[in-house]
Amino acid sequence: IAINGTSSTVLLCDAAGKPVDVPLLYNDARGAVVSEELRSIAPANHTVLSATSSLAKLLWMSRLPSFPKARYFLHQADWLAFLLHGQLGITDYHNALKLGYDVEELKYPEWLENLKIKIHLPKVITPGTPIGELRSEIADQFEFRRDCIVCAGTTDSIAAFLASGAKLPGEAVTSLGSTLVLKLLSHTRVEDSRYGIYSHRLPPLDKGGTEGGLWLTGGASNTGGAVLQQFFTKSELESLSCEIDESKVSELDYYPLLKSGERFPINDSNLLPRLEPRPASNVEFLHGLLESIARIEARGYELLQELGADRLTQVYTAGGGAANPTWRAIRKRILQVPMVQSVNMEAAYGTALLAMRG
């Protein structure tokens, strides 16, 4: 068993692994209040220099009245895995990236280890690494084998990438879930906090694929399916999409967000949603939303290539939005590369592959 979870959803636990306060979600930007402190600690343009990074959240949490009770700082995937295997304080280097872990040198950097925060930073291991057997009471409760192994996990967008079937540099996976996440496989590591861009180290793929030495570079935007669901039901999205002429360019220029704040390709915690003007026709409105999200996706891939990533050759699509053929056609027109539906759509499938390889 391995677990994937949205990166930068974090919590504080006591010595027994019990949460001491409310967890903070991946898009929680209250870490903005520690941005000056963060800039004085971390190198320029580092991944952690974002209001939503795990390290920003840790610095913010260190000021809470509950903090003295905390002994461990964990990501959601780490904590859920702990409930299964019983070993506290273990994470993987995908989840640990936004905490400041150096995924090139495979260690915490000196500037991070020198922080005077009285808490155990998690031990970092390779995603998919076996940690231990399932706790016997859990195995009995859910009728698993007693020798079932729990492995280190990953993040949801990397799991979706692993599930997709993408293996070659230049291939990318767009996850069209509640948010929009881009991952481009590249020989070059690209990092730039000004645009919310970061790179994950990719463990070696199976023998038919690329043997390591590659980076998954990309970013996560706050636009996506959650904005669409704010205006339309699932059945309305399906029926209205069928009425859109995807060959026509929508004149509507939106930046669809649920609330103020964006991570990538613009990293601005104060960026306001732009959802006006709203036409009388729901078909036109949805067309404008789908096209605007596709333009944000295209800008994201353009930016990655401008900063040195491999040239985009084709895009696999995962997440709920992958099932919308109209959206896929609009994206193909704007991105100008072949669009491929992922071999497997569920991030959980990628996590299972990771656990099997581990």
Side-chain angles (χ1 to χ4, degrees), residues 270-292:
N270 298 311
L271 186 73
L272 295 172
R274 193 168 69 244
L275 293 161
E276 301 286 342
R278 178 166 179 171
S281 163
N282 279 339
V283 175
E284 283 182 41
F285 183 48
L286 179 58
H287 188 180
L289 290 172
L290 295 180
E291 188 130 341
S292 296

Side-chain angles (χ1 to χ4, degrees), residues 95-107:
N95 273 293
L97 180 78
K98 293 179 186 178
L99 181 56
Y101 185 76
D102 187 333
V103 291
E104 203 143 24
E105 298 292 332
L106 295 179
K107 63 180 184 181

Side-chain angles (χ1 to χ4, degrees), residues 33-327:
V33 300
V34 299
S35 58
E36 279 190 36
E37 183 185 352
L38 206 50
R39 278 195 294 272
S40 71
I41 296 165
N45 292 337
H46 197 282
T47 308
V48 300
L49 296 175
S50 161
T52 58
S53 75
S54 302
L55 185 57
K57 292 185 177 84
L58 174 57
L59 289 177
W60 184 87
M61 289 168 140
S62 69
R63 303 175 176 186
L64 293 172
S66 57
F67 191 76
K69 301 179 204 166
R71 292 295 174 270
Y72 293 93
F73 177 77
L74 297 174
H75 307 89
Q76 57 172 334
D78 312 337
W79 185 72
L80 291 168
F82 151 71
L83 297 181
L84 299 182
H85 57 60
Q87 298 181 45
L88 258 176
I90 300 175
T91 190
D92 62 88
Y93 60 58
H94 289 160
N95 273 293
L97 180 78
K98 293 179 186 178
L99 181 56
Y101 185 76
D102 187 333
V103 291
E104 203 143 24
E105 298 292 332
L106 295 179
K107 63 180 184 181
Y108 283 113
E110 195 174 330
W111 60 264
L112 184 56
E113 289 196 319
N114 289 341
L115 279 184
K116 303 293 185 242
I117 299 180
K118 292 184 178 177
I119 198 152
H120 292 293
L121 293 178
K123 176 187 174 185
V124 184
I125 59 178
T126 301
T129 303
I131 297 172
E133 290 186 354
L134 202 58
R135 288 165 51 209
S136 56
E137 60 270 33
I138 297 283
D140 292 346
Q141 181 182 350
F142 295 104
E143 298 182 358
F144 283 105
R145 286 169 46 145
R146 284 286 193 102
D147 61 354
C148 178
I149 299 290
V150 183
C151 300
T154 185
T155 65
D156 53 348
S157 56
I158 292 183
F161 185 94
L162 295 173
S164 71
K167 290 177 180 174
L168 301 173
E171 293 184 338
V173 172
T174 296
S175 294
L176 294 173
S178 56
T179 59
L180 173 76
V181 184
L182 312 187
K183 294 285 182 209
L184 173 61
L185 196 55
S186 174
H187 288 102
T188 310
R189 181 185 182 189
V190 179
E191 303 267 333
D192 200 321
S193 68
R194 292 174 302 166
Y195 307 108
I197 291 171
Y198 52 91
S199 291
H200 280 286
R201 188 186 186 113
L202 196 67
L205 302 176
D206 56 72
K207 289 177 184 176
T210 311
E211 291 295 328
L214 294 176
W215 297 90
L216 267 183
T217 183
S221 167
N222 288 335
T223 194
V227 185
L228 302 179
Q229 288 164 4
Q230 186 181 28
F231 297 106
F232 305 108
T233 64
K234 188 178 178 183
S235 59
E236 284 172 337
L237 284 170
E238 289 174 5
S239 60
L240 293 170
S241 293
C242 293
E243 297 182 51
I244 293 171
D245 181 354
E246 68 265 12
S247 66
K248 280 182 64 178
V249 176
S250 171
E251 298 299 321
L252 297 166
D253 182 21
Y254 297 145
Y255 206 107
L257 297 169
L258 283 178
K259 58 182 182 179
S260 60
E262 174 61 311
R263 300 175 286 166
F264 165 83
I266 300 167
N267 189 10
D268 179 358
S269 58
N270 298 311
L271 186 73
L272 295 172
R274 193 168 69 244
L275 293 161
E276 301 286 342
R278 178 166 179 171
S281 163
N282 279 339
V283 175
E284 283 182 41
F285 183 48
L286 179 58
H287 188 180
L289 290 172
L290 295 180
E291 188 130 341
S292 296
I293 295 171
R295 284 196 289 262
I296 293 168
E297 178 185 5
R299 178 57 192 144
Y301 283 123
E302 280 172 12
L303 196 52
L304 295 176
Q305 292 164 97
E306 286 169 13
L307 293 171
D310 283 46
R311 186 178 64 84
L312 183 69
T313 58
Q314 69 175 8
V315 176
Y316 291 78
T317 308
N324 187 322
T326 305
W327 202 359

Side-chain angles (χ1 to χ4, degrees), residues 160 163-165 317-318 341-347 349:
S164 71
T317 308
Q341 195 140 331
S342 292
V343 177
N344 291 283
M345 306 274 284
E346 292 292 336
Y349 183 87

